[in-house]
Amino acid sequence: MGQVWKCSGLRWAAGGPALVWAGGRSSALTWGKRVAFGVEEGGVRTCVGARGHVCPVRAVVPGRSTGARCEECARLERAHSVAADTIADDRRPYHVYLAWFGAGMTKVGITAAERGPARLLEQGAVCFSWLGAGPLMAARRTEELMRAALRVPDRIPYAEKRAVRSRLPASPAERAAEIAELHRRAVALGAWPESLERAPFRPVDHMAVFGLDRVPAAVGEVSELVAGGTVSGELVAAAGPDLHLATDRGVVVLDTRLMSGWELGPARRVASSVPVRPLKEAREARGVQDGLF
């Protein structure tokens, strides 16, 4: 194949999404850009390692895995993680937020204040509002309070988010309605940690940022990459780790987490040749939780 690249994932910043490559280079993604690459013939998908270190055994990982890590590296990656609640001495301030992804799908979460809204973009939150800010442990206690008192989950599977994108309400007010009500109920609760400063309700809408305000409904999603396969399409939207690509089959969603661990190069074909499956219905998905271009 000649020169190859390894993808480190999709990153969101103020300027929009970008694919990041091993070595630190990145490719900015803009609407209308052609996204096209091929997987090395005869190649295998290998574990991406943990915490900046390569996998010691270069373990082969399944094509459908979004984690792209072997069991041991996945364990090491989470051994020192805010998400896994294994860090208690982080002195940075944290935001608590409410994020909305579609009807009946609101979650509570925390993110380091210095990251701003990047975490919400990475998760594909269509609309969000801050609840408050304070030390890590106070943010964690507030998150738990929301789960226990208001039954707001802290996780929503990507398959479920993907399934409802074609049926999102048209107006920002409708999209903000659920988190507005939850915010009102949340600030009325007692037992908030004293060190957490409550934030007023100020919804932030990402519908246009993601390009979902004008994109046709997706007809399918890439289920996995395969050796010798090609992905090719025009970028029409992006949300969280997902790229919405206009292809000869219609709009197809590519979860960029499926790219990690493969050696990728220029596309050999104009048309895509990787497995694509129909998008799941929301009711089925519920409970499932400078480079190449």
Side-chain angles (χ1 to χ4, degrees):
M1 178 179 281
Q3 187 175 6
V4 295
W5 294 266
K6 282 203 167 186
C7 184
S8 300
L10 188 69
R11 297 290 181 270
W12 283 87
L19 283 171
V20 181
W21 306 99
R25 300 180 73 177
S26 63
S27 302
L29 297 173
T30 54
W31 309 145
K33 187 168 190 172
R34 192 78 185 170
V35 175
F37 61 86
V39 184
E40 185 182 28
E41 286 280 3
V44 294
R45 191 185 191 200
T46 56
C47 173
V48 297
R51 302 183 63 192
H53 300 285
V54 298
C55 176
V57 297
R58 290 184 56 81
V60 175
V61 294
R64 297 193 178 199
S65 165
T66 54
R69 287 187 174 90
C70 66
E71 186 176 337
E72 180 62 17
C73 285
R75 184 187 67 78
L76 291 172
E77 182 70 14
R78 291 181 64 82
H80 192 71
S81 164
V82 170
D85 207 12
T86 57
I87 298 177
D89 58 352
D90 190 336
R91 297 182 181 276
R92 295 176 298 170
Y94 276 77
H95 276 134
V96 186
Y97 62 80
L98 289 171
W100 183 87
F101 302 90
M105 292 192 294
T106 298
K107 64 159 281 187
V108 62
I110 70 171
T111 183
E114 65 191 32
R115 297 204 67 210
R119 181 66 180 144
L120 286 304
L121 292 164
E122 291 167 359
Q123 292 184 13
V126 177
C127 184
F128 82 93
S129 177
W130 303 124
L131 263 178
L136 174 58
M137 289 298 99
R140 275 292 187 216
R141 288 195 297 273
T142 306
E143 184 183 41
E144 179 56 35
L145 176 64
M146 298 303 108
R147 289 200 300 262
L150 301 181
R151 300 186 180 277
V152 184
D154 62 350
R155 292 178 185 273
I156 294 186
Y158 279 102
E160 191 168 343
K161 301 173 189 178
R162 213 170 278 140
V164 299
R165 284 187 193 142
S166 64
R167 303 196 299 276
L168 296 172
S171 74
E174 289 178 281
R175 295 192 290 270
E178 287 186 33
I179 56 172
E181 174 60 18
L182 277 173
H183 190 284
R184 183 192 65 78
R185 294 171 59 196
V187 296
L189 292 172
W192 277 58
E194 292 183 4
S195 56
L196 193 109
E197 182 181 354
R198 304 185 195 194
F201 179 67
R202 288 178 182 154
V204 178
D205 194 278
H206 289 152
M207 191 79 163
V209 174
F210 291 153
L212 297 175
D213 56 336
R214 53 180 177 73
V215 66
V219 298
E221 59 185 330
V222 174
S223 57
E224 63 180 318
L225 302 188
V226 293
T230 295
V231 171
S232 180
E234 178 186 324
L235 182 67
V236 292
D242 293 345
L243 302 182
H244 290 234
L245 304 175
T247 73
D248 55 342
R249 312 183 194 190
V251 174
V252 171
V253 179
L254 169 66
D255 185 337
T256 54
R257 296 174 299 173
L258 297 174
M259 296 169 64
S260 299
W262 288 104
E263 291 191 334
L264 307 173
R268 299 182 193 82
R269 308 176 183 86
V270 174
S272 292
S273 60
V274 293
V276 173
R277 63 191 174 203
L279 276 176
K280 294 180 179 179
E281 295 292 334
R283 62 179 179 275
E284 295 178 68
R286 251 169 225 182
V288 177
Q289 237 298 321
D290 248 339
L292 191 53
F293 309 124

